[in-house]
Amino acid sequence: MKTIVFDSLSKWIAFRKKFRRGKIGFVPTMGALHQGHVSLVERSRFENPITVVSIFVNPTQFNDPNDLKNYPRTFKGDYELLKAAGADFLIYPKYDEIYADGYKFRVSENHLSGILCGASRPGHFEGVLTVVMKLFNLVGPTRAYFGEKDYQQFLLIKEMVDSFFMNIQVVPCPIIREENGLAMSSRNERLSAEGREKAGLFFKELSSGKELKEIRKNLEENGFKVDYIEEFFGRRLGAVFLENVRLIDNVPA
Ligand code: AMP
């Protein structure tokens, strides 16, 4: 089966009208796809007759210009992976199409988005919520799939959908990990082989049941720069830097 690619929004919008009544599962991504993303696509395929994936590296959610510049872009490999996973449609829009308004209109939240990742990444969740709202309006999904790796993001999107009475089921999906426990992430590509191995310690410590401050200390002693290690929503959540790459993870508390 082929995955049909739409690299122009106007073509997608015209095409989308044909599916007005069918159920659609949607998986928004920023590309550099891995098995974590594939698990979302597979779940969507299982639960919906049509699966749409988007790839859009959304500049408005990057508070660090270097992070945006270095974000891996691997379109060809992504396409092959999506074809193998059986995605029906891939939308791959350009910045000017998504932000034709120059980012004048935004979706902001002033509570949950101020803690954890929001505290150290000003504007991040505003960028996320705005682009997800736009993508939801473009795709009109019945269900949308989000990884629990970005747990705070999942909660905020769920709340946005509830607050604006959007008729979309937001489906959380379990975290897919490397063999050493490291949560799969597009940013892992930027770690050295040695760093990638060491990064497994982040998950091990987070799930160790130790006190939060002891976890922080152990990670710092092993060369991680810790942004936060905290407990919220019945989970232990953390963000760390290793080799200047920001990694996040969480486990049930
Ligand atoms: P991203 O491309 O990083 O924006 O991620 C797109 C979607 O894939 C988000 O809903 C992420 O939470 C999800 N995702 C990323 N990594 C994983 C993973 N290791 N396991 C499960 N879902 C993931």
Side-chain angles (χ1 to χ4, degrees), residues 36-123:
H37 300 107
V38 169
S39 73
L40 272 52
V41 173
E42 285 173 349
R43 173 90 178 261
S44 171
R45 282 200 70 205
F46 188 69
E47 296 180 347
N48 309 277
I50 300 277
T51 290
V52 178
V53 177
S54 63
I55 294 182
F56 180 63
V57 182
N58 176 34
T60 65
Q61 73 188 69
F62 284 81
N63 53 304
D64 173 357
N66 270 326
D67 188 24
L68 174 61
K69 199 175 102 219
N70 295 325
Y71 200 83
R73 288 163 173 88
T74 57
F75 184 81
K76 270 202 161 153
D78 291 351
Y79 175 75
E80 293 303 325
L81 214 59
L82 290 175
K83 199 168 80 172
D88 298 287
F89 304 118
L90 167 60
I91 54 178
Y92 184 57
K94 293 170 193 67
Y95 177 85
D96 289 344
E97 295 175 307
I98 291 285
Y99 291 105
D101 69 340
Y103 197 34
K104 262 192 320 201
F105 289 92
R106 304 177 183 199
V107 181
S108 66
E109 191 271 1
N110 63 16
H111 188 70
L112 177 54
S113 58
I115 63 168
L116 302 171
C117 285
S120 38
R121 302 188 67 190

Side-chain angles (χ1 to χ4, degrees), residues 27-31 33-34 36-37 39-40 61 71 145-150 153 173-177 183-186:
V27 181
T29 81
M30 297 206 299
L33 303 181
H34 49 68
H37 300 107
S39 73
L40 272 52
Q61 73 188 69
Y71 200 83
Y145 296 82
F146 290 89
E148 287 182 341
K149 182 174 84 74
D150 303 272
Q153 167 178 284
C173 301
I175 302 172
I176 306 297
R177 300 180 178 282
M184 287 191 181
S185 164
S186 308

